Amino acid sequence: MAKKRPLTKDRKPSAAPGDGEVPVVGAREACPCGSGRRYKACHGRAAAHAVTELVRRPFEGLPGECDWVALRELVPAATAELALKGGLPQGVPSVTLATVLPMAWPALRREDGAVLLGLQNDTASGDISRDLAETLRRALETKPGNQVEAVRPDPSAPRLQDLLDLTEPFTPVVHTGFEFWLGGPEEAAKATGEVAASLERANEAALPTVRLTGVEAAYWCETPEKNHLRWVMPHPEEKLLDALARLHAADASSLGEGTRLVGSFRAHGLVVPVWDLPVSMRAEDVEQPAAAFGERLGEALASDAPLTSQERKARSGLANRQITLS
């Protein structure tokens, strides 16, 4: 048998296949593209980078992107029904997104075949959407009555944007507690032992939270010392900060007496302004002021005039009080 000629500098490797055509092999094995290098030093390097590279806006393109961010970062207990492209598989009556599941499970398949997907878990890669899609895919194939463990997805695996029906609205339902873990209040009332104790601990740790109905992705929450409104906004960061600065300089950034715009934070590529509210100000009391602020913000966003010195000072203050959650 003729010996294979060793690869030299004068010999060019075969042309690399197109994206997605190089099969994944062991890190120390020869790369299938024919370069003569180990997979981890050739196409494996790009694959590893694709898995770990941070996707700045993982929920971009999904209906209700701002609410996805809110449920990931702000809301203790909430659910939302998800619609899949092509409909639900046989034996799966529903797919429900949940902020968090018992024992921080990534997902679970109920005895009746229904799937619950946890949103607030740690993820294996830099793309939350791909991680969640992989967990969802595995949950749909899991036998009823079992939880689903998280795994590191292949960089070419589908994302949520590929699996979900993007024509269906995303409608979160905020809960006062985690009774939805067991199917609802009636079923939760029957819980005993460690199950009941775990549910009680989870409910005690959850801050009362309400989603406003008059504006999108704004969430009121109650704390012992003061209440807050945290509003996830879809506008480009620089444009939004300019608009908030215009309103702040004009004393038009509050939501009424005793309220104050205290800053903002970034989460998954979006900006979330935060207001301090009096403890006496309930969610229903914020509805009208928030709607009025939304109108003022729209006018400020439409302005292209250069910022005045006072507005620049206000913008600097807002920027200095901004933090990044993700």
Side-chain angles (χ1 to χ4, degrees):
M1 178 184 294
K3 293 183 179 180
K4 292 183 178 179
R5 187 177 62 175
L7 185 67
T8 67
K9 291 183 179 179
D10 296 329
R11 180 185 172 194
K12 294 183 180 180
S14 57
D19 292 342
E21 296 180 9
V22 179
V24 176
V25 298
R28 294 181 177 276
E29 295 181 69
C31 186
C33 77
S35 67
R37 293 181 291 174
R38 290 178 178 178
Y39 178 71
K40 71 175 184 179
C42 192
H43 279 82
R45 179 180 297 171
H49 179 72
V51 170
T52 58
E53 185 178 9
L54 179 65
V55 175
R56 183 170 174 269
R57 288 179 61 179
F59 306 119
E60 185 176 15
L62 293 174
E65 179 189 5
C66 294
D67 280 306
W68 277 88
V69 172
L71 266 58
R72 168 78 182 182
E73 300 296 339
L74 308 178
V75 184
T79 56
E81 297 302 309
L82 300 180
L84 305 184
K85 288 182 179 178
L88 296 171
Q90 185 175 4
V92 180
S94 63
V95 174
T96 304
L97 182 76
T99 48
V100 66
L101 295 176
M103 307 298 292
W105 290 330
L108 63 87
R109 183 94 183 269
R110 293 193 188 278
E111 292 287 353
D112 65 357
V115 167
L116 269 69
L117 177 66
L119 179 58
Q120 293 183 6
N121 297 350
D122 293 336
T123 53
S125 78
D127 187 352
I128 296 171
S129 178
R130 198 181 308 280
D131 288 341
L132 289 171
E134 177 64 18
T135 301
L136 173 57
R137 185 191 65 78
R138 295 174 63 244
L140 293 171
E141 299 174 352
T142 295
K143 292 182 179 180
N146 291 280
Q147 69 267 23
V148 179
E149 300 296 332
V151 299
R152 194 181 189 89
D154 185 274
S156 62
R159 308 174 74 236
L160 287 174
Q161 289 83 344
D162 303 312
L163 299 184
L164 301 184
D165 184 347
L166 304 184
T167 66
E168 292 293 328
F170 182 74
T171 308
V173 177
V174 178
H175 303 280
T176 57
F178 294 91
E179 286 76 12
F180 66 84
W181 284 353
L182 303 177
E186 293 184 5
E187 292 80 359
K190 303 173 185 176
T192 59
E194 181 57 31
V195 173
S198 298
L199 183 61
E200 183 178 359
R201 287 194 297 270
N203 285 344
E204 288 177 351
L207 294 175
T209 302
V210 176
R211 181 177 185 265
L212 300 192
T213 59
V215 295
E216 294 295 323
Y219 290 79
W220 170 94
C221 73
E222 179 182 11
T223 65
E225 296 184 356
K226 62 185 68 175
N227 298 337
H228 304 281
L229 182 72
R230 298 175 290 186
W231 191 342
V232 187
M233 295 187 172
H235 317 292
E237 179 175 343
E238 297 303 314
K239 190 73 173 176
L240 177 57
L241 288 178
D242 282 351
L244 291 174
R246 296 181 196 279
L247 296 177
H248 202 63
D251 292 326
S253 64
S254 77
L255 299 174
E257 184 177 355
T259 71
R260 185 167 68 99
L261 175 64
V262 293
S264 63
F265 57 85
R266 300 184 191 90
H268 308 291
L270 300 182
V271 175
V272 187
V274 179
W275 285 262
D276 280 351
L277 311 173
V279 293
S280 60
M281 196 170 194
R282 314 306 295 176
E284 59 270 21
D285 301 324
V286 190
E287 290 281 5
Q288 193 280 329
F293 176 85
E295 294 181 2
R296 297 197 299 274
L297 180 64
E299 295 174 359
L301 286 166
S303 175
D304 291 324
L307 296 181
T308 65
S309 59
Q310 187 176 4
E311 290 168 347
R312 289 197 301 271
K313 182 178 179 180
R315 191 187 194 284
S316 177
L318 290 171
N320 289 338
R321 296 194 299 273
Q322 189 177 60
I323 61 174
T324 301
L325 295 185
S326 57

